[in-house]
Amino acid sequence: MSGMAEANEKLVCAILAEQVAHLRDKMDASDAFDLLWRTSALLSWLSGLLADINRQSPQASPVVERERNEAISEIAEIRRKLDHLAFVEAQRQDFAKQIADCVIVALERMSDAQMPPGTHFASADLAALYVSEDQRRLHEEVLQRLKGQAA
Amino acid sequence: MPIILVLDDSATMVMSLSHILKGAGYEVETGMNGREGITKLSGGLKPAAILTDLNMPELDGIGFIKEARKIASARFTPIIVLTTESGGRKRDEARAAGASGWLTKPAEPNQLLSVVKQLCPVK
């Protein structure tokens, strides 16, 4: 590869690294999580309030009492589902950010002006950045597929 | 209330774990990497259990476990690794460093609480 082409390629990698970093920083959907946690906390407070009302008005009709108990059960179930959703989504987001980090580091190294001319970032260098077995498995699948296509 | 020390470089993960643990009756202390965890333990924090990620800046999970085991008060504190890594090699490395348990992300809240409650029940 000519020196000019290599310099252009490094420039493209540097720009792409910045673009992916920008995208990764936008992945922090903290407002959505904050809303989920606040809703869960509010439901917990409402549930406690209903339980207090139950205790303080023992003369309420059986129908009202049953409806209050049903509401408390329903609130508990919705809270459980909200907490589950927030936790699973937080982990998904974390995983996506880690994959983005891996792409950013790879692109930064490929764009590194200090990299001696003629040296290249190899697939094994990329594999060393992985943080999960899923990434390593996918890496192997792609290598096998590309080898199959080349054969 | 038993204190759980949570270490993860993702602010969202830290908040999510804190929310679940507090909801189950635990007090939560947090740190964004292993170094912050060591600083807290060295400063006198005595958690009932520690939840740590593996891939963190400054001091990663394995490094944290090794250093934590050198602190007298944390020598036998249960340390649970919560990570995207599911490979046997990493698991063995964490166990050799002194990890007590392992949970692979994505984990369910019930899985997490079941492990934490076994190690340190809320009275």
Side-chain angles (χ1 to χ4, degrees):
Chain A
M1 193 186 297
S2 74
M4 179 72 86
E6 195 167 327
N8 272 334
E9 207 166 74
K10 284 175 188 248
L11 181 65
V12 169
C13 288
I15 294 167
L16 279 175
E18 286 294 326
Q19 297 275 13
V20 179
H22 187 65
L23 187 68
R24 177 205 53 199
D25 295 343
K26 281 187 173 175
M27 283 179 187
D28 256 332
S30 55
D31 285 353
F33 284 107
D34 189 50
L35 187 61
L36 280 173
W37 291 321
R38 281 173 60 189
T39 307
S40 175
L42 174 70
L43 288 173
S44 173
W45 176 73
L46 282 175
S47 180
L49 198 63
L50 280 173
D52 281 348
I53 292 170
N54 255 358
R55 275 193 296 274
Q56 285 168 18
S57 51
Q59 311 302 330
S61 75
V63 175
V64 171
E65 195 170 327
R66 194 187 66 237
E67 285 183 353
R68 278 183 198 153
N69 288 333
E70 282 174 5
I72 289 170
S73 299
E74 184 66 15
I75 286 172
E77 179 61 11
I78 292 173
R79 247 198 99 201
R80 194 187 62 76
K81 286 184 174 169
L82 281 177
D83 288 347
H84 181 275
L85 177 69
F87 188 52
V88 170
E89 280 305 312
Q91 291 175 92
R92 275 197 198 129
Q93 189 193 82
D94 183 42
F95 188 46
K97 283 178 82 172
Q98 289 191 53
I99 291 175
D101 279 336
C102 171
V103 173
I104 292 163
V105 172
L107 287 168
E108 281 173 348
R109 290 197 188 161
M110 289 164 76
S111 71
D112 190 359
Q114 302 302 314
M115 198 181 246
T119 58
H120 295 285
F121 187 76
S123 68
D125 300 322
L126 179 64
L129 300 173
Y130 294 150
V131 293
S132 76
E133 280 305 299
D134 282 351
Q135 285 175 294
R136 293 185 191 100
R137 201 174 304 119
L138 184 60
H139 181 102
E140 278 308 311
E141 281 172 17
V142 174
L143 284 183
Q144 292 306 320
R145 192 170 68 230
L146 293 178
K147 273 182 196 166
Q149 283 172 3
Chain B
M1 277 194 288
I3 300 170
I4 310 291
L5 173 62
V6 173
L7 301 174
D8 201 308
D9 59 332
S10 158
T12 310
M13 273 307 296
V14 168
M15 283 193 279
S16 189
L17 286 164
S18 299
H19 180 81
I20 286 171
L21 292 167
K22 283 178 183 170
Y26 294 97
E27 199 175 312
V28 179
E29 281 285 330
T30 64
M32 300 297 283
N33 57 59
R35 182 60 54 214
E36 287 186 17
I38 292 299
T39 303
K40 292 204 172 199
L41 294 175
S42 303
L45 180 71
K46 291 189 178 85
I50 300 167
L51 265 177
T52 183
D53 187 13
L54 275 192
N55 301 296
M56 296 183 287
E58 301 223 17
L59 181 64
D60 68 7
I62 304 277
F64 164 76
I65 297 167
K66 284 179 181 167
E67 287 202 27
R69 290 309 187 208
K70 291 179 193 161
I71 299 170
S73 61
R75 193 166 297 155
F76 302 110
T77 307
I79 301 179
I80 305 154
V81 175
L82 179 62
T83 178
T84 51
E85 289 278 6
S86 56
R89 192 174 51 82
K90 278 277 179 189
R91 199 179 289 226
D92 292 345
E93 208 181 324
R95 191 159 290 151
S100 322
W102 184 282
L103 273 171
T104 305
K105 294 176 191 172
E108 299 279 325
N110 285 346
Q111 270 179 292
L112 171 77
L113 286 177
S114 150
V115 172
V116 173
K117 280 177 183 169
Q118 268 177 21
L119 295 168
C120 41
V122 185
K123 292 183 181 99

